[in-house]
Amino acid sequence: MFNGCTSLHSGREKFLKVKKTVKAQTMKEKIDLTMLKYEINLLELIQRRRVRIGYSFKKDEIENSIVHRVQGVFRRASAKWKDDVQLWLSYVVFCKKWATKVQLSKVFSAMLAIHSNKPALWIMAAKWEMEDRLSSESARQLFLRALRFHPECPKLYQEYFRMELMHAEKLRKEKQEFEKAKMDVGNLEYAEEILMGELARIIYKNSVNIIKSAEFHVSLLSIAQLFDFAKDLQREIYDDLQALHTDDPLTWDYVARRELEIESQPGEEPPTTKQTKVAEVGRREERCCAVYEEAVKTLRTEAMCKCYINFCMERFAKKTSSRHLREKRLERTMVAFRKAHDLKLLSEFQYKQWSELLLHHDFLTEALEVAGAGMELFRGSVTMWQVKLQVLIASKSPDVAMLFEEAFVHLKPQICLPLWISWAEWSEGAKSQEDTEAVFKKAVLAVTGGDSVTLKDKYLDWAYRSGGYKKARAVFKSLQESRPFSVDFFRKMIQFEKEQESCKMANLREYYERALREFGSVDSDLWMDYIKEELNHPLGRPEHCGQIYWRAMKMLQGESAELFVAKHAVHQAGQL
């Protein structure tokens, strides 16, 4: 027994010792980080004041000593929390502003030695070497090291490719400046291959052998197109894209869209008048669609049809004052939808797009046909039933109510909320008050769980709009035990009561009490509003406020209780 107690006592002492050590370390860490922020803020303040008053006395002595201290703290912190990337990035940002380039280079080296598994950090370091230190060779070495760790990282290849093109462009500009100034550059030579982007070409060739993706191929082509001197390289990448990725919709999409940038008759002057510009745009779009037509024949996939339709929709959405061009774009869009439909390659979303486009342009018969076809293919989709109903309502069909009933037979009850709301909204405008109420009553019975909350709110709103306060109170009474509710459900009734000429405090208390029964443990605003009501209403009882306050303190939990106390204190101060 005694030995057991001794063992327990010893274990407790060890635990307290460890706890004390951990607490001391945590405190030291907090002090270090607080000191770091203080020193950086001090540096910023000194710099701003020197600029403001134009005073530079002992600048090196004061600023340098602070910079050295901050660097010391960063070094200790980064050694202790090596895995904290955000800390390393803060260190880099500080060094960029206050330290020398040599020091920052060392920081990057230390960071990459630990975080070599993060390509973004390699890119950041290489970019800094290229753009700030103007060292293409250092940037190149960093990219090569990064690729040893990440041989299949597309972003690394893209940035390395861009860097080599930037390097070639820089050398070309240097050469032009020397030639323009007629300066003797001695042994400095500019290899023609380098100037033409041969290093970038090697990166391109190596990368596409590793990453066999049309998207990656297109990304390299997009980068090459930023450099005017790389026309040959652009042509080579474009030809390879067509040869290597003929079965990828992205390739066809890119080739088709490229026709928008190519002049119809090369060598001629660009169009100047409004009519010629419109005609030129029309010809380019025709060529694009011709490529898409060929693509759909060659590659009969849903993805290819989606590219074609998206292009047509984008062009149709573009504003133009030319009626002819607008009509032509609409015609092309309809052709694209029809072709995909005939090939049975339209998605649910595209059937919706097509139906709404037809409906918008008052092609009601075609819209009804398309919506029906989409509904047959996607009978389990609420969206397609909604689209069909939308078209029927627009065409003033007598079959709307019957289709609503049919939809509920085919669809799962848990996804039908949007349809019940649509039915109630349509009924309010097209049917009698009794018919609309019958829809709401059916809906309340059919929809359960969280979805029913929205439905009850809409039912209450409709009741007040159509039958005034008396009707709304009757609906409230009929639903008051049908959980769950939203806070708004009760707040609406409180607001309706306040809008009456004879606002009854007894009714307000009833609504507040029912609301607090549901939300009293989480909603501090409800309690505060209840107290204010008792204080401000002509028939209120201010003597009850203390009792309400203590009930709130018992029911509210955690932050809600703290928030309530703070709000109540502010209100009390305002009353004084």
Side-chain angles (χ1 to χ4, degrees):
M1 183 74 177
F2 178 77
N3 289 338
C5 289
T6 306
S7 176
L8 282 170
H9 182 70
S10 174
R12 184 172 178 277
E13 282 186 340
K14 284 180 183 178
F15 170 75
L16 290 172
K17 190 175 181 181
V18 169
K19 188 178 177 182
K20 190 176 179 181
T21 306
V22 169
K23 192 174 179 181
Q25 285 176 347
T26 306
M27 185 62 70
K28 188 175 185 301
E29 289 164 8
K30 286 181 179 177
I31 290 168
D32 277 353
L33 293 176
T34 305
M35 185 177 77
L36 194 62
K37 288 177 186 175
Y38 170 78
E39 296 278 18
I40 293 171
N41 290 338
L42 180 60
L43 263 178
E44 298 282 352
L45 183 61
I46 291 170
Q47 187 186 48
R48 283 201 297 271
R49 287 188 178 176
R50 283 193 187 282
V51 170
R52 192 176 74 231
I53 63 177
Y55 187 72
S56 57
F57 182 65
K58 290 191 174 182
K59 186 174 181 179
D60 290 341
E61 290 179 40
I62 296 169
E63 271 90 326
N64 284 351
S65 63
I66 299 173
V67 168
H68 288 317
R69 284 202 302 273
V70 172
Q71 285 181 320
V73 175
F74 267 124
R75 274 194 297 273
R76 291 195 300 274
S78 58
K80 184 178 287 184
W81 301 296
K82 293 178 181 179
D83 295 334
D84 190 340
V85 177
Q86 195 56 50
L87 179 64
W88 282 104
L89 292 176
S90 300
Y91 194 1
V92 167
V93 169
F94 176 80
C95 287
K96 276 185 179 180
K97 186 164 186 178
W98 297 102
T100 64
K101 291 180 179 179
V102 175
Q103 287 171 319
L104 182 51
S105 194
K106 289 177 181 176
V107 172
F108 271 125
S109 296
M111 178 176 70
L112 292 172
I114 295 162
H115 295 285
S116 57
N117 62 329
K118 294 179 175 61
L121 299 182
W122 287 100
I123 292 168
M124 181 196 293
K127 210 170 177 185
W128 178 78
E129 291 286 353
M130 178 71 183
E131 295 175 3
D132 291 87
R133 287 194 77 191
L134 305 176
S135 174
S136 302
E137 184 57 37
S138 297
R140 187 177 294 118
Q141 292 303 318
L142 279 169
F143 275 121
L144 290 170
R145 282 175 59 201
L147 287 169
R148 282 198 288 272
F149 286 101
H150 308 279
E152 296 181 1
C153 177
K155 189 67 178 171
L156 275 173
Y157 281 111
Q158 288 163 359
E159 295 305 321
Y160 188 14
F161 180 69
R162 190 196 307 274
M163 187 277 290
E164 289 296 0
L165 286 170
M166 288 171 66
H167 175 59
E169 188 176 52
K170 187 180 82 169
L171 291 179
R172 291 172 73 88
K173 287 179 180 176
E174 275 182 13
K175 187 183 178 186
Q176 286 171 4
E177 290 298 322
F178 285 137
E179 288 173 354
K180 190 176 177 182
K182 297 179 180 178
M183 290 176 63
D184 181 16
V185 293
N187 296 327
L188 189 60
E189 291 184 7
Y190 294 95
E192 191 61 28
E193 294 86 357
I194 303 295
L195 294 176
M196 293 304 295
E198 182 60 25
L199 291 175
R201 183 180 171 278
I202 292 168
I203 296 162
Y204 155 69
K205 284 292 186 185
N206 289 339
S207 63
V208 294
N209 284 332
I210 295 167
I211 303 168
K212 301 178 189 296
S213 151
E215 184 180 1
F216 175 71
H217 213 119
V218 168
S219 72
L220 293 184
L221 181 52
S222 300
I223 292 168
Q225 285 173 336
L226 299 172
F227 300 87
D228 293 335
F229 70 87
K231 295 293 182 187
D232 291 341
L233 180 59
Q234 292 169 24
R235 200 172 299 110
E236 181 181 353
I237 297 173
Y238 181 70
D239 292 342
D240 288 349
L241 174 66
Q242 289 181 291
L244 296 171
H245 300 287
T246 50
D247 59 346
D248 194 309
L250 188 63
T251 301
W252 287 97
D253 191 44
Y254 183 84
V255 171
R257 287 173 182 272
R258 196 166 178 263
E259 293 294 330
L260 285 174
E261 301 163 12
I262 300 172
E263 295 176 12
S264 295
Q265 297 173 335
E268 289 191 5
E269 289 186 10
T272 52
T273 65
K274 189 176 179 181
Q275 288 81 3
T276 54
K277 284 179 181 177
V278 167
E280 176 63 18
V281 169
R283 283 192 292 271
R284 292 184 187 188
E285 289 179 359
E286 285 286 358
R287 293 202 307 271
C288 291
C289 288
V291 175
Y292 278 116
E293 289 285 340
E294 182 63 30
V296 170
K297 286 179 189 173
T298 308
L299 202 63
R300 297 191 174 197
T301 64
E302 188 177 311
M304 189 67 254
C305 289
K306 183 181 178 183
C307 289
Y308 188 8
I309 290 166
N310 285 349
F311 170 79
C312 290
M313 291 290 283
E314 284 170 24
R315 299 309 297 176
F316 180 69
K318 280 193 170 292
K319 289 184 179 179
T320 176
S321 57
S322 168
R323 183 179 173 184
H324 174 71
L325 185 58
R326 254 196 331 270
E327 288 173 352
K328 201 70 182 167
R329 284 172 173 172
L330 179 60
E331 182 187 330
R332 291 193 203 106
T333 306
M334 294 304 175
V335 167
F337 274 118
R338 177 62 64 183
K339 186 172 285 293
H341 168 69
D342 291 343
L343 293 170
K344 295 182 172 53
L345 294 172
L346 270 186
S347 66
E348 176 190 333
F349 175 72
Q350 285 159 347
Y351 272 111
K352 180 176 182 287
Q353 271 186 314
W354 191 9
S355 302
E356 287 175 349
L357 187 63
L358 289 164
L359 191 59
H360 181 70
H361 290 86
D362 295 325
F363 299 134
L364 294 178
T365 306
E366 294 89 338
L368 199 58
E369 178 193 333
V370 169
M375 198 182 73
E376 287 302 316
L377 286 170
F378 304 98
R379 291 191 78 80
S381 165
V382 177
T383 302
M384 286 317 304
W385 284 94
Q386 279 184 302
V387 170
K388 178 75 180 284
L389 284 159
Q390 189 182 353
V391 177
L392 281 180
I393 290 167
S395 60
K396 296 181 170 58
S397 168
D399 301 329
V400 175
M402 189 171 67
L403 191 67
F404 271 116
E405 295 279 9
E406 188 184 342
F408 297 124
V409 172
H410 288 92
L411 295 172
K412 296 175 182 176
Q414 58 266 34
I415 62 171
C416 287
L417 176 64
L419 279 183
W420 283 112
I421 291 171
S422 297
W423 193 3
E425 288 172 353
W426 168 76
S427 182
E428 185 177 359
K431 295 288 183 178
S432 67
Q433 188 173 321
E434 291 75 16
D435 289 336
T436 305
E437 184 157 25
V439 171
F440 271 118
K441 285 180 176 177
K442 282 183 187 177
V444 167
L445 291 172
V447 180
T448 57
D451 286 346
S452 67
V453 169
T454 306
L455 199 58
K456 288 165 195 166
D457 288 352
K458 288 191 174 292
Y459 188 8
L460 194 63
D461 279 332
W462 168 82
Y464 190 62
R465 278 198 311 272
S466 61
Y469 175 75
K470 189 176 179 181
K471 181 71 177 173
R473 183 166 170 81
V475 168
F476 177 81
K477 287 281 189 184
S478 69
L479 296 175
Q480 63 187 4
E481 298 301 332
S482 302
R483 292 176 180 81
F485 300 106
S486 69
V487 179
D488 281 345
F489 181 75
F490 297 100
R491 286 197 175 278
K492 284 178 195 291
M493 276 312 300
I494 291 167
Q495 187 58 39
F496 297 158
E497 182 68 47
K498 286 182 176 182
E499 289 172 8
Q500 305 312 302
E501 284 185 20
S502 56
C503 172
K504 296 179 180 177
M505 189 62 203
N507 288 344
L508 287 175
R509 284 195 192 99
E510 179 191 348
Y511 303 142
Y512 273 114
E513 289 294 341
R514 289 193 175 278
L516 290 169
R517 194 186 304 169
E518 305 294 330
F519 303 100
S521 61
V522 291
D523 196 326
S524 59
D525 287 337
L526 267 177
W527 290 102
M528 275 307 305
D529 291 344
Y530 193 5
I531 289 172
K532 288 175 186 177
E533 212 69 66
E534 290 288 6
L535 288 170
N536 300 329
H537 195 279
L539 299 176
R541 295 177 182 171
E543 65 271 17
H544 287 181
C545 291
Q547 185 183 357
I548 296 169
Y549 177 87
W550 287 115
R551 281 174 60 202
M553 292 303 294
K554 285 180 183 177
M555 284 189 72
L556 289 168
Q557 304 292 323
E559 289 182 7
S560 299
E562 293 172 14
L563 193 60
F564 172 73
V565 170
K567 286 178 180 177
H568 189 268
V570 170
H571 182 258
Q572 288 287 84
Q575 295 285 81
L576 296 174

